[in-house]
Amino acid sequence: MAEAAPQYLALPSGLLELCALLGAPRDSLRGPEQVAQKKGVKSLSSLDPEVLSVFVPPFVTKEDSQPAGVSCVTLGKTRRRSFRKKRERPKAEPSKGHPGGPRGQDPEDVGIPNGVDLLALPQLCFPGGVCVASEPKEDCVHFLVLTDVCGNRTYGVVAQYYRPLHDEYCFYNGKMRWEASGLGRSAAGCFVPFAVCVVSRFPYYNALKDCLSCLLTHLKICKDFEVDNHIKDFAAKLSLIPSPPPGPLHLILNMKPLQIVFPSRADPESPLIDLDLHLPLLRFRPEKVLQILTCLLTEQHVVFFSSSWALLTLVAECFMAYLHPLQWQHTFVPILSRHMLDFVMAPTSFLMGCHLDHFEEVSKEADGLILINIDAGSITYSNDEDVDVPDIPLLAAQTFIQRVQSLQMHHELDLAHLCASTDLNEGRACRRAWQQRLNCQIQQITLQLLVCIFREVKNHLNYEHRVFNSEEFLKTRAPGDQQFYKQVLDTYMFHAFLKARLSRRLDAFAQMDLHTQSEEDRIDGMLLSPRRPTIEKMASRKSSAPHGAHRRMVVSMPNLQDIMVPELPPRNSSLRKIHTEDCGSSHTVLDMPSKLTYTFKIPEIHFPLVGQCVQAFHADCVAQLSKAMDSLAPENSVLLARYFYLRGLVQLMQGQLLGALLDFQSLYKTDVRIFPADLVQRTVESLSAPERAQAERTPELRRLISEVMDKPEDVPKADDRVKNFELPKKHMQLDDFVKRVQESGIVKDAGIIHRLFEALTVGHQKQIDPETFKDFYNCWKEAEAEAQEVNLPFSVMEQLDKNECVYKLSSSVKTNRGVGKIAMTQKRLFLLTEGRPGYVEISTFRNIEEVRSTTVAFLLLRIPTLKIKMVSKKEVFEANLKTECDLWHLMVKEMWAGKKLADDHKDPQYVQQALTHALLMDAVVGALQSPGAIYAASKLSYFDKMKNEMPMAVPKTTSETLKHKINPSAGETFPRAIDGLLYTPGHLDPAEKVEDAHPKLWCALNEGKVVVFDASSWTVHQHCFKVGTSKLNCMVMAEQSQVWVGSEDSVIYIINVHSMSCNKQLTDHRSSVTGLVVQDRAQAPSTVYSCSADGTVLAWNASSLQVTSRFQLPGDGLSAIRLHGGRLWCCTGNSIVVVTTAGFLHQELKIGENFKEISTSFLGFQLVPEQEQLWAACAGYDDIYIWSLQDLAQPPQRIHLQDCSKINCMIRVKKQIWVGGTGLSQGRSKGKIYVIDAERKTVEKELVAHTDTVKTLCSAEDRYVLSGSGREEGKIAIWKVE
């Protein structure tokens, strides 16, 4: 079968898409001298412009050896608009026929980029028309945004300049000007405008403006017949410049006299910013800026007006940047020419811009428009009755206003103490650095505004089923903010924002949310029980009450109550006063570390532009990039990645495809975020047969090509739709009920929902009707609202812990300690006395000894009464709860049982689960309203039944050794197996914040998820982030700043400890990575050894990430690797092989020589250097085997592990060996840990660790051992080391 021919490679375009010269057609310039001779006339009649010349890359191909004047076509007014480019410049010979006469077919089309409409371009380049002037005018610039039918945008920068019409030295196509146009010498004083338009895929507004400014200095002094050549050279120069990749590297181009800087976007998710973001803040007061942002967030019909065409686009683009990461989804035309004014009649949402001269005309002709006058800084409506623009949320508004007022937006104030710069480019660089800092501050302020507005959206999302509960979200908004949110929630922009949240995209919004999150909100994310206001938040709410903030506005806001309330009132009198403590410091900008930026100077481009010159330019680029890379320290991988990317692009331009692929492949080791996957795939597909064969022989490229070519072509697109929560309309079986409850946000845990299903279907068919679900849902939400309304006096709050929440209040009842309401928190019961509200302690759940429901006689009645006996008190608490008695009896017993289990198992999540059960009981009783409701609710007494039916005490040894348990799967629908654990000690590194320098516990879950805990408090440091999608086998820390993770997909993922991101991958293995070990050195960089299941062992320089050596062990099944005595010990299943670091065999322990009666394999091993011993576990055996390192040929000693059915892992801690696996305890199969004394070789402890098998163990500074269990339980236990 013949091999498929390589495909043609479409090279990525440079900065330039198209360059055009525009102006009035020559025919229309006849006779203007008659008007010019009139006295006092400054500007003559307006003419219709047209495209005079078009320049489209590429300007030189490989075959070209002549100057590339081929991409220019000079166009007459009557010529057809399907422009073509010629190999030779067309000569204008008007005497040989009419320009509109028949023409032959042009041999080659001019490739006009998509999105550029040459019919509309003249109107946009001369939006006010072409006006012949009687005196010269200043050069001016304005900016365009061009959108194609697919919504893709390109950006134009237009420079207008004037040339005299009567200049006898000006020529056009070889003819004297008056000969060519029929003008006489009497046209003195006529100046004709021309425009040069540069179109780019990137919004380089400032950079391209500077480029055009340099070009105009040449165009104004050249002859007419030289204009096209100058523009062609200018366009060719820009077309050769590659676009910089996202990151800190900016490109510098010498345009003479200016050094032009082309900035890069900050990261792949960020927009490219090359404009002054403070321009709107100079024109509008902060209150007006908020008003405009509200108009955009609610997707109104917005029209900007200004007398400056340039400001229209720049101000509109600034507001687009303010919205990031939200994106305007509708029509965006920042400049409308006078012929396009009917666009404002469009029925859909839009953002457009018009000249101020058309203000009255537009406002009268169209209704429902938001009219924004940039020059006056004002906002009006074309018809007030049809426009409903709500106020932005008050708390966010106040904070934004005060932060904007703190900005320093006048560069002159920064320059006041400095000497004047005598170097033009030095002064420009100083101004640019100041602008970048200011832009960064403004982006932070606007991002904080969006986070303040939308932070709590995440509390009403169900990620598993992609559901947003908009109704419940709206209920938590302040009354004055309701209208704003109702309108925003219906927009396309917000819908796209929801998609990103539900996909857990770690964009700028998510990062800022994480960065400004309070510790309380971090902990909330780990809780299984429902959210309620904590005592701390109640106190915060009370302190803010005089300021008129609504009670619901502080839920889930950052807890920064120590910040003083600013005295500065808002400027906008229509904004109500509010308390701002919950959006962080309102009077200062959040202090974000400034990011370093670097520059790379593009080599000089020599003319005439022939093939040899272009090749020389590319060679210079490669040489300079290589030189810059050689001078970089390996640690600066971020900058190194940008050099690799640029060099790869340039090598593609050179036709060096293999060199380009090698550079792109290096991005895996430096910064995989900027890896150009589509470009690499197209490059691989375009390789010729010899090139492909050579690539297959290169190890680095073989993996890259296999990934590209093996990728399935028709991958079904994931369903990213967002569903709004709706109550069910049909009967539900169990599976559908589980889904509906999870969607509602009530409970996520599937096990708890199964118990709820049993409760709601007691005595009925095992399905739930819509009415029952609705009643249950409403009862739950009513209880939730009542808890929000709880208002405790300060004297009561002082008696409670700051993180306690009141979850349930009884009716007012008579007790033996007074009349009042019984309150239940997650920790205790107390009486909220009536009259003067006071606090009477009933009991903590830990202190309860007995709970009984009984009746007491009162006159002729028997009143149901709850009796609670405490351990430390003789007096029994009695409460006449009447109809509530049975429910409180169930709830208190469940909480008591949950607290006892939590204490026994050192696992606080038992209390959270018990609390959830208790609250569900309350909702079930409220929903059923039947005599059997209490019996139904008792189906949720899960822990109480467990305590009564299976009173299995935790073994004393286990209880004494166990310190704590944590659940990395908290918030998930099911527990997840723990595949690996790694403890990293804290380091006060200069690159880290103090709070980030704490020790950390890294937990690898299934499907490539990693959860990081702050090991000083066991709270989540950062929630799940992904490293691939496969099982993670091993983790190790290298050089204090990197965590290496080996995966089943054969990739080693490197996590940056400081940024908590995974931007590097090592792809040299061809099979599952099964082991990692670090060889630390005092001076040189550490060496990391990695092994994979196919027997490959690689040695890595931890700093440069280069492979320093590799070797192959015979056979498959390599599962672990250790370093001892300068040699590598490798477990291959059938043997343990000892090799030198160069791969030479030193010793081998074969399992077959010791176990001849049964086939087995090594499961794992540990080295005990003090005793010179090798400890190993074997499949199918419940023993640990010990060999002497002095003589591996001697038979091993054996330590029997009683009741052990499976061994999974083992580690050495001090003089102990800890072995984890599965064993019997009290007749049940459980996860067990055996602690063996390495000297005496005896089992010291048997720890009943988990309800599921122990999958992994790790040590924390030899003070604690951490064990992770299988998917049935999915928890981590923390054990004290004796």
Side-chain angles (χ1 to χ4, degrees):
M1 183 175 174
E3 188 175 340
Q7 299 181 13
Y8 170 73
L9 176 61
L11 296 175
S13 59
L15 296 179
L16 180 94
E17 290 283 292
L18 173 147
C19 187
L21 174 66
L22 305 99
R26 292 188 299 278
D27 293 345
S28 65
L29 294 176
R30 299 177 188 273
E33 69 277 5
Q34 300 171 7
V35 185
Q37 289 170 356
K38 294 181 181 178
K39 294 183 179 179
V41 175
K42 299 293 182 185
S43 180
L44 303 178
S45 59
S46 179
L47 305 171
D48 289 330
E50 71 170 19
V51 177
L52 301 177
S53 305
V54 180
F55 305 87
V56 180
F59 293 90
V60 173
T61 62
K62 288 182 182 179
E63 295 80 13
D64 287 334
S65 59
Q66 299 298 322
V70 301
S71 300
C72 164
V73 175
T74 305
L75 305 163
K77 179 179 179 182
T78 55
R79 290 191 180 180
R80 60 189 182 135
R81 297 289 183 168
S82 57
F83 309 124
R84 298 179 180 274
K85 66 179 182 180
K86 306 277 296 244
R87 284 297 175 193
E88 293 180 2
R89 183 165 154 186
K91 296 179 180 179
E93 297 182 11
S95 60
K96 294 186 178 180
H98 193 273
R103 302 170 57 203
Q105 284 291 324
D106 295 330
E108 196 172 355
D109 285 334
V110 173
I112 304 301
N114 291 332
V116 181
D117 180 2
L118 289 185
L119 291 172
L121 190 62
Q123 292 183 36
L124 294 171
C125 292
F126 290 97
V130 176
C131 296
V132 180
S134 60
E135 59 184 37
K137 291 188 176 183
E138 275 192 304
D139 303 337
C140 60
V141 176
H142 68 273
F143 310 94
L144 307 175
V145 178
L146 310 171
T147 309
D148 66 15
V149 291
C150 298
N152 301 311
R153 291 176 186 164
T154 49
Y155 306 88
V157 181
V158 182
Q160 290 185 15
Y161 68 101
Y162 281 76
R163 288 178 64 89
L165 193 60
H166 68 286
D167 190 345
E168 61 186 87
Y169 297 105
C170 291
F171 294 80
Y172 195 86
N173 286 343
K175 298 283 185 180
M176 296 293 283
R177 167 61 72 184
W178 54 80
E179 291 179 45
S181 60
L183 299 177
R185 293 178 181 270
S186 60
C190 285
F191 293 87
V192 184
F194 291 89
V196 181
C197 176
V198 174
V199 177
S200 173
R201 288 188 299 122
F202 310 99
Y204 281 119
Y205 294 121
N206 285 338
L208 292 177
K209 171 185 171 181
D210 291 346
C211 290
L212 284 169
S213 301
C214 296
L215 173 66
L216 293 191
T217 61
H218 300 291
L219 293 187
K220 289 198 289 188
I221 62 173
C222 73
K223 303 292 188 289
D224 267 14
F225 65 86
E226 297 174 330
V227 168
D228 279 351
N229 282 333
H230 277 291
I231 297 176
K232 173 182 65 68
D233 290 349
F234 168 82
K237 198 171 191 177
L238 286 182
S239 71
L240 292 176
I241 310 303
S243 59
L249 184 64
H250 301 177
L251 301 184
I252 293 182
L253 176 65
N254 183 13
M255 268 287 185
K256 294 179 183 176
L258 300 182
Q259 301 280 339
I260 313 295
V261 175
F262 290 92
S264 58
R265 62 185 69 202
D267 57 70
E269 296 280 345
S270 297
L272 197 157
I273 302 295
D274 186 32
L275 72 169
D276 302 344
L277 289 182
H278 68 296
L279 288 178
L281 302 177
L282 297 176
R283 286 293 193 180
F284 300 99
R285 291 182 299 131
E287 296 85 353
K288 296 295 184 185
V289 172
L290 286 172
Q291 218 174 331
I292 296 169
L293 286 173
T294 304
C295 294
L296 297 176
L297 287 170
T298 54
E299 295 185 349
Q300 305 286 343
H301 299 64
V302 181
V303 185
F304 283 102
F305 292 90
S306 175
S307 58
S308 166
W309 294 108
L311 278 181
L312 287 173
T313 301
L314 294 179
V315 169
E317 282 282 35
C318 285
F319 278 103
M320 295 293 100
Y322 293 172
L323 289 175
H324 177 75
L326 278 71
Q327 292 183 327
W328 180 257
Q329 306 280 321
H330 298 279
T331 304
F332 181 51
V333 187
I335 285 185
L336 293 177
S337 72
R338 58 183 180 173
H339 302 295
M340 299 177 175
L341 295 181
D342 57 335
F343 282 24
V344 299
M345 307 294 289
T348 58
S349 302
F350 56 75
L351 193 161
M352 298 184 185
C354 295
H355 197 278
L356 193 58
D357 291 345
H358 306 298
F359 187 91
E360 293 298 328
E361 180 183 351
V362 170
S363 61
K364 289 178 182 176
E365 291 297 325
D367 294 335
L369 300 183
I370 312 292
L371 309 175
I372 302 172
N373 187 332
I374 296 172
D375 297 0
S378 64
I379 303 171
T380 55
Y381 307 137
S382 63
N383 187 333
D384 288 337
E385 296 178 4
D386 294 342
V387 179
D388 181 19
V389 180
D391 289 336
I392 211 157
L394 306 180
L395 182 61
Q398 178 77 16
T399 308
F400 175 83
I401 290 168
Q402 295 180 353
R403 283 173 175 160
V404 168
Q405 289 171 342
S406 71
L407 286 173
Q408 176 55 266
M409 291 187 287
H410 299 284
H411 185 44
E412 292 77 10
L413 295 176
D414 280 1
L415 295 179
H417 68 290
L418 299 176
C419 294
S421 174
T422 56
D423 183 278
L424 171 63
N425 286 306
E426 181 184 318
R428 282 165 48 82
C430 177
R431 172 70 167 76
R432 189 165 50 249
W434 174 85
Q435 187 65 58
Q436 285 176 353
R437 287 194 300 271
L438 180 59
N439 281 358
C440 184
Q441 289 179 322
I442 293 171
Q443 285 177 290
Q444 294 298 324
I445 289 174
T446 54
L447 186 56
Q448 289 169 47
L449 171 72
L450 295 174
V451 169
C452 204
I453 293 172
F454 297 117
R455 182 195 293 276
E456 292 185 40
V457 165
K458 66 177 181 288
N459 298 338
H460 302 270
L461 296 175
N462 176 265
Y463 295 93
E464 291 75 22
H465 305 294
R466 299 187 67 82
V467 173
F468 173 55
N469 197 332
S470 58
E471 185 178 332
E472 290 303 318
F473 173 71
L474 284 172
K475 285 179 182 177
T476 64
R477 302 303 90 201
D481 299 338
Q482 291 274 339
Q483 190 58 34
F484 170 85
Y485 284 106
K486 282 178 182 176
Q487 290 192 31
V488 170
L489 263 54
D490 285 336
T491 61
Y492 288 98
M493 191 185 307
F494 182 75
H495 188 74
F497 171 78
L498 279 182
K499 284 185 176 182
R501 296 317 104 214
L502 288 167
S503 300
R504 299 186 187 271
R505 186 180 301 163
L506 197 61
D507 56 13
F509 181 95
Q511 291 178 37
M512 177 64 76
D513 185 20
L514 195 68
H515 187 84
T516 56
Q517 197 175 40
S518 68
E519 184 63 24
E520 182 181 350
D521 287 330
R522 287 179 193 265
I523 295 172
D524 274 354
M526 299 177 62
L527 299 180
L528 295 174
S529 52
R531 295 166 179 263
R532 297 289 188 271
T534 62
I535 297 304
E536 187 174 26
K537 287 202 171 184
M538 282 190 198
S540 169
R541 194 165 66 192
K542 274 183 172 291
S543 66
S544 66
H547 298 269
H550 187 262
R551 60 181 177 79
R552 293 187 187 275
M553 292 187 62
V554 296
V555 181
S556 296
M557 286 292 184
N559 177 31
L560 303 173
Q561 73 275 13
D562 296 330
I563 292 170
M564 297 297 292
V565 180
E567 298 298 326
L568 188 65
R571 282 173 163 181
N572 188 347
S573 58
S574 69
L575 292 174
R576 289 154 282 174
K577 264 192 170 183
I578 49 170
H579 187 56
T580 57
E581 67 181 14
D582 296 296
C583 266
S585 176
S586 58
H587 60 278
T588 57
V589 181
L590 185 68
D591 183 26
M592 300 291 284
S594 57
K595 296 180 180 178
L596 287 175
T597 57
Y598 307 87
T599 57
F600 175 74
K601 192 169 182 180
I602 301 292
E604 291 293 329
I605 302 170
H606 302 287
F607 291 93
L609 201 64
V610 294
Q612 292 90 332
C613 291
V614 173
Q615 291 168 15
F617 166 73
H618 288 150
D620 289 346
C621 283
V622 170
Q624 290 195 26
L625 286 165
S626 301
K627 182 179 177 182
M629 293 161 74
D630 292 340
S631 63
L632 267 185
E635 294 80 21
N636 198 346
S637 59
V638 173
L639 186 55
L640 190 61
R642 274 70 202 169
Y643 288 144
F644 274 126
Y645 182 97
L646 285 174
R647 195 172 70 177
L649 282 184
V650 175
Q651 290 197 94
L652 277 186
M653 304 295 182
Q654 289 180 300
Q656 304 292 329
L657 303 190
L658 296 184
L661 288 175
L662 282 170
D663 279 342
F664 291 143
Q665 197 273 340
S666 298
L667 294 175
Y668 277 110
K669 296 181 181 178
T670 48
D671 193 345
V672 75
R673 292 178 303 166
I674 62 172
F675 180 78
D678 291 340
L679 179 60
V680 168
Q681 182 170 357
R682 296 201 309 271
T683 304
V684 170
E685 289 170 350
S686 68
L687 291 174
S688 64
E691 287 174 325
R692 182 68 178 271
Q694 185 179 347
E696 293 287 353
R697 292 193 297 271
T698 308
E700 292 87 352
L701 292 183
R702 194 182 308 125
R703 167 68 179 260
L704 184 68
I705 292 173
S706 65
E707 280 193 353
V708 169
M709 302 312 291
D710 295 344
K711 191 179 293 184
E713 294 181 6
D714 299 322
V715 180
K717 186 181 178 183
D719 184 7
D720 63 349
R721 290 175 298 171
V722 179
K723 293 178 286 185
N724 197 29
F725 174 72
E726 293 178 351
L727 289 170
K729 296 180 175 61
K730 297 188 297 185
H731 285 65
M732 288 157 283
Q733 304 291 336
L734 176 60
D735 290 345
D736 195 25
F737 179 73
V738 170
K739 177 184 174 184
R740 292 291 191 165
V741 173
Q742 289 172 343
E743 287 179 355
S744 72
I746 293 175
V747 187
K748 282 188 177 181
D749 187 284
I752 294 177
I753 301 175
H754 285 193
R755 294 191 275 277
L756 175 62
F757 183 79
E758 288 296 315
L760 289 174
T761 56
V762 165
H764 299 89
Q765 190 177 356
K766 292 301 176 183
Q767 63 178 13
I768 292 175
D769 62 88
E771 280 301 314
T772 301
F773 188 96
K774 180 181 177 182
D775 292 342
F776 165 75
Y777 179 80
N778 289 336
C779 287
W780 177 272
K781 290 301 176 183
E782 285 167 11
E784 203 171 63
E786 287 171 9
Q788 297 282 351
E789 298 282 359
V790 171
N791 189 11
L792 300 178
F794 276 116
S795 59
V796 174
M797 288 192 283
E798 288 171 356
Q799 306 294 323
L800 304 173
D801 295 343
K802 68 177 185 178
N803 63 339
E804 276 188 87
C805 308
V806 175
Y807 284 90
K808 177 70 177 171
L809 270 178
S810 73
S811 304
S812 185
V813 296
K814 179 177 177 292
T815 75
N816 59 346
R817 298 189 190 173
V819 176
K821 296 180 179 181
I822 299 174
M824 181 180 79
T825 74
Q826 67 267 48
K827 186 176 180 179
R828 74 187 83 216
L829 297 169
F830 68 91
L831 185 67
L832 191 61
T833 57
E834 289 193 343
R836 285 187 63 185
Y839 172 89
V840 176
E841 174 92 19
I842 297 174
S843 177
T844 60
F845 293 114
R846 175 180 287 154
N847 201 34
I848 292 176
E849 185 177 339
E850 184 185 12
V851 180
R852 286 189 301 126
S853 174
T854 183
T855 58
V856 296
F858 180 73
L859 299 178
L860 300 177
L861 302 175
R862 304 291 298 180
I863 300 175
T865 300
L866 182 69
K867 293 187 177 182
I868 302 175
K869 184 179 180 183
M870 278 70 73
V871 173
S872 57
K873 295 181 183 178
K874 291 184 179 179
E875 182 185 6
V876 175
F877 174 78
E878 295 184 11
N880 298 338
L881 280 161
K882 301 179 183 175
T883 56
E884 295 180 80
C885 185
D886 290 336
L887 174 60
W888 274 88
H889 180 234
L890 286 178
M891 290 195 300
V892 173
K893 284 205 301 180
E894 181 69 4
M895 291 298 296
W896 174 32
K899 182 60 181 173
K900 186 174 189 320
L901 287 168
D903 289 345
D904 290 347
H905 294 272
K906 311 290 176 65
D907 185 355
Q909 287 211 325
Y910 279 110
V911 171
Q912 295 168 26
Q913 282 184 287
L915 187 55
T916 303
H917 290 150
L919 295 175
L920 289 172
M921 291 175 193
D922 183 30
V924 166
V925 170
L928 296 182
Q929 294 289 329
S930 65
I934 293 299
Y935 176 70
S938 68
K939 296 293 182 180
L940 290 157
S941 296
Y942 182 68
F943 294 138
D944 184 44
K945 289 175 186 170
M946 185 187 296
K947 181 168 72 78
N948 294 327
E949 296 173 5
M950 299 178 292
M952 295 191 309
V954 176
K956 183 181 178 183
T957 305
T958 298
S959 182
E960 291 174 348
T961 311
L962 181 63
K963 301 301 293 180
H964 190 61
K965 268 193 175 183
I966 53 179
N967 183 8
S969 301
E972 303 280 351
T973 54
F974 290 100
R976 295 179 180 273
I978 296 163
D979 294 326
L981 293 169
L982 172 69
Y983 172 88
T984 57
H987 294 283
L988 280 174
D989 192 290
E992 286 190 304
K993 300 189 293 292
V994 173
E995 60 268 26
D996 289 343
H998 294 155
K1000 299 180 182 73
L1001 174 65
W1002 304 74
C1003 175
L1005 306 180
N1006 60 341
E1007 297 178 352
K1009 291 189 176 180
V1010 176
V1011 177
V1012 186
F1013 286 89
D1014 181 340
S1016 64
S1017 61
W1018 304 117
T1019 58
V1020 175
H1021 178 75
Q1022 169 158 349
H1023 211 267
C1024 282
F1025 58 95
K1026 297 277 283 183
V1027 286
T1029 56
S1030 302
K1031 179 176 178 288
L1032 305 177
N1033 293 325
C1034 48
M1035 295 189 287
V1036 74
M1037 188 177 196
E1039 303 212 321
Q1040 297 185 4
S1041 63
Q1042 301 174 2
V1043 168
W1044 292 36
V1045 184
S1047 172
E1048 285 279 344
D1049 63 11
S1050 77
V1051 177
I1052 299 173
Y1053 297 90
I1054 299 180
I1055 300 172
N1056 185 306
V1057 174
H1058 305 318
S1059 64
M1060 298 301 288
S1061 58
C1062 179
N1063 299 330
K1064 300 178 184 178
Q1065 301 175 12
L1066 306 180
T1067 59
D1068 294 58
H1069 281 287
R1070 297 291 172 268
S1071 184
S1072 171
V1073 179
T1074 54
L1076 293 164
V1077 64
V1078 181
Q1079 182 179 30
D1080 290 315
R1081 297 176 179 174
Q1083 299 296 329
S1086 303
T1087 298
V1088 181
Y1089 294 93
S1090 62
C1091 66
S1092 53
D1094 61 357
T1096 303
V1097 178
L1098 303 180
W1100 304 85
N1101 181 308
S1103 180
S1104 66
L1105 305 184
Q1106 298 298 317
V1107 175
T1108 56
S1109 66
R1110 68 172 69 216
F1111 57 87
Q1112 185 77 31
L1113 295 177
D1116 291 334
L1118 181 54
S1119 60
I1121 188 169
R1122 301 275 186 274
L1123 189 64
H1124 171 63
R1127 294 188 174 91
L1128 293 172
W1129 295 66
C1130 307
C1131 179
T1132 64
N1134 295 325
S1135 63
I1136 294 175
V1137 181
V1138 187
V1139 295
T1140 66
T1141 54
F1144 297 110
L1145 182 64
H1146 179 72
Q1147 273 181 296
E1148 184 175 10
L1149 172 63
K1150 294 184 177 179
I1151 198 166
E1153 296 173 358
N1154 295 277
F1155 301 89
K1156 296 179 181 177
E1157 67 277 8
I1158 186 171
S1159 175
T1160 186
S1161 60
F1162 286 115
L1163 290 173
F1165 72 99
Q1166 282 292 328
L1167 297 164
V1168 185
E1170 294 84 1
Q1171 275 79 42
E1172 288 288 309
Q1173 291 172 348
L1174 165 69
W1175 293 51
C1178 301
Y1181 287 85
D1182 56 0
D1183 300 309
I1184 296 294
Y1185 297 91
I1186 306 168
W1187 282 269
S1188 169
L1189 297 183
Q1190 303 297 329
D1191 186 3
L1192 294 177
Q1194 291 295 320
Q1197 300 179 51
R1198 179 181 301 188
I1199 300 175
H1200 181 65
L1201 304 181
Q1202 189 173 359
D1203 295 327
C1204 178
S1205 56
K1206 184 181 181 182
I1207 297 173
N1208 293 322
C1209 50
M1210 56 196 298
I1211 62 167
R1212 180 174 64 89
V1213 185
K1214 293 183 177 177
K1215 296 180 180 179
Q1216 297 174 337
I1217 298 293
W1218 290 54
V1219 181
T1222 308
L1224 289 177
S1225 174
Q1226 299 177 352
R1228 292 173 176 269
S1229 179
K1230 298 230 175 151
K1232 289 186 77 172
I1233 296 175
Y1234 298 85
V1235 182
I1236 305 172
D1237 186 304
E1239 292 180 341
R1240 296 200 295 265
K1241 300 181 180 59
T1242 57
V1243 177
E1244 288 187 332
K1245 296 179 182 178
E1246 289 186 23
L1247 306 176
V1248 184
H1250 302 275
T1251 55
D1252 197 1
T1253 186
V1254 177
K1255 292 198 68 178
T1256 182
L1257 293 166
C1258 86
S1259 168
E1261 300 175 358
D1262 281 353
R1263 295 170 55 211
Y1264 299 98
V1265 167
L1266 300 104
S1267 60
S1269 66
R1271 62 188 299 270
E1272 293 298 321
E1273 182 193 72
K1275 292 185 179 180
I1276 299 169
I1278 302 163
W1279 308 88
K1280 181 176 63 178
V1281 176
E1282 299 293 340

